[in-house]
Amino acid sequence: MELSVEQAAELRELANSRDVPADVATRARIVLWSGEGRRRKDIAELLGVSLPTVDRWRTRYAERGLAGLEGDCPGGAREQVPTRVRARVIALTRMTPPVGTGLSHWSTRELAKYLKRTENVTVSWHYIAKVWREENLKPHRKGTFKISKDPAFADKVADVVGLYLAPPGGAVVLSVDEKTQIQALDRTQPVLPVTFAATEKRTHDYVRHGTTNLFAALNVATGEVTGECRPSRNAVNFLAFLKKVVKPHADKEIHVVLDNLSTHTTPEVKAWLTNNQHVHFHFTPVGSSWINQIETWFGILTRQSIRRGTFSSVNVLIKQIRDYIDSWNSEAKPFTWTATTDEILTKVRLVQTSIKKLVANNSK
């Protein structure tokens, strides 16, 4: 039988929990080891059970999930958790834990303890985990936000989004930015690669071998990326890169989306723009780099190539970045931008309203 990563994690927690009866833990190990590909005979021998027992709990889990491992309660049907308790679990999960708890977010066990301590409601953490799965609640996850204070925010959003959703006919739209100070990190001991039934392993400590700066441009229409690594980020390197990326499109109108770095508005850059009237700059709002599509690509590059990479030198890091760009361009596809200007501005207004309410409540 095959198990998802989430199912395997749940079974492993059940098998190793001190709060779970030994027979339930054994059943969890039966299913977990079956999912790992162990033979029935080996599982039965290791756990000291019969082959029919292995088959029974594998089948029960396939039919009913974790609930199937708890067995049948003698003397009648299992008592159901009242609807009001389920509603309370959902409501608490969707709120930040009360200040007095000292918690930053809920876990299944902490929520179960809180209900017992404050409301004398007894539910297992297994039940809470089940409710979270059914309601797709993930209180352990977090996000980030930043509200731009740019007075021209709305106009700049409309300008950039307009280029994404309705670019001028025959024009080229390039999303340009720099990813600075990319570190060439090497582990103090060799990385143990992925092997059968074992994940990649690495030491927690590392050695720094220097940094590089990646200048990159995304063709919004095709998804192709042009990139170049330089030892420093300055106006001279930016202008040299800009000349490189616009050269293949010299016979077309070129619209460049970029942020408000000082290196993008130096006298040299402005003079070059004056002499190249077919190139037009479109600046994102201050503090709103998320609207620049190349930032999305930087995130993908970081997750897929850099974050887990090990680099013995800056040159090794640069080569990997180049290889990644070549691989990306071999099957390049444009990002699909769907958010309209009105949708973005509406969401921003809602967040601003929420922040004002929060500040007002905290000041009382």
Side-chain angles (χ1 to χ4, degrees), residues 39-45 49-56:
R39 298 184 304 174
R40 295 168 58 246
K41 179 181 178 181
D42 294 337
I43 295 173
E45 184 175 344
V49 299
S50 64
L51 290 177
T53 297
V54 174
D55 294 336
R56 180 188 310 122

Side-chain angles (χ1 to χ4, degrees), residues 25 27 42 52 57 81 96 176 188 194 210 228 238 267 316 326 332 338 363:
R27 297 162 190 169
D42 294 337
W57 296 113
V81 176
T96 301
V176 176
T188 57
V194 176
E228 187 174 275
F238 168 72
V316 172
D326 290 340
T338 59
S363 64

Side-chain angles (χ1 to χ4, degrees), residues 109-270:
R109 286 182 172 82
E110 291 301 330
L111 183 52
K113 292 177 183 176
Y114 178 80
L115 286 169
K116 177 63 176 176
R117 182 174 66 252
T118 62
E119 303 179 20
N120 199 30
V121 172
T122 302
V123 291
S124 69
W125 67 269
H126 299 291
Y127 171 77
I128 295 176
K130 177 175 177 289
V131 172
W132 285 5
R133 287 194 301 272
E134 293 173 349
E135 299 293 330
N136 196 30
L137 298 173
K138 300 176 182 180
H140 63 284
R141 299 190 65 179
K142 60 183 178 63
T144 59
F145 80 96
K146 182 178 182 180
I147 299 297
S148 174
K149 297 182 179 179
D150 193 326
F153 178 81
D155 292 337
K156 290 181 178 179
V157 168
D159 182 33
V160 173
V161 172
L163 286 174
Y164 294 160
L165 297 180
V172 174
V173 180
L174 300 176
S175 176
V176 176
D177 202 1
E178 301 100 78
K179 184 173 179 62
T180 62
Q181 298 294 303
I182 307 174
Q183 299 187 78
L185 299 181
D186 193 11
R187 300 294 158 175
T188 57
Q189 298 181 40
V191 174
L192 300 180
V194 176
T195 59
F196 179 76
T199 59
E200 177 186 274
K201 294 179 176 62
R202 61 185 60 212
T203 61
H204 71 281
D205 50 349
Y206 51 81
V207 179
R208 292 186 178 93
H209 292 296
T211 63
T212 189
N213 301 276
L214 172 62
F215 292 78
L218 171 77
N219 188 320
V220 172
T222 66
E224 292 181 335
V225 173
T226 302
E228 187 174 275
C229 290
R230 294 292 184 95
S232 60
R233 182 196 70 183
N234 53 42
V236 174
N237 286 336
F238 168 72
L239 185 54
F241 177 72
L242 185 62
K243 292 176 180 178
K244 176 181 178 180
V245 297
V246 303
K247 186 176 181 179
H249 314 290
D251 58 335
K252 299 178 180 179
E253 290 292 308
I254 303 173
H255 297 268
V256 181
V257 177
L258 67 173
D259 62 21
N260 298 270
L261 282 175
S262 59
T263 53
H264 299 164
T265 55
T266 61
E268 294 79 7
V269 172
K270 291 180 178 179

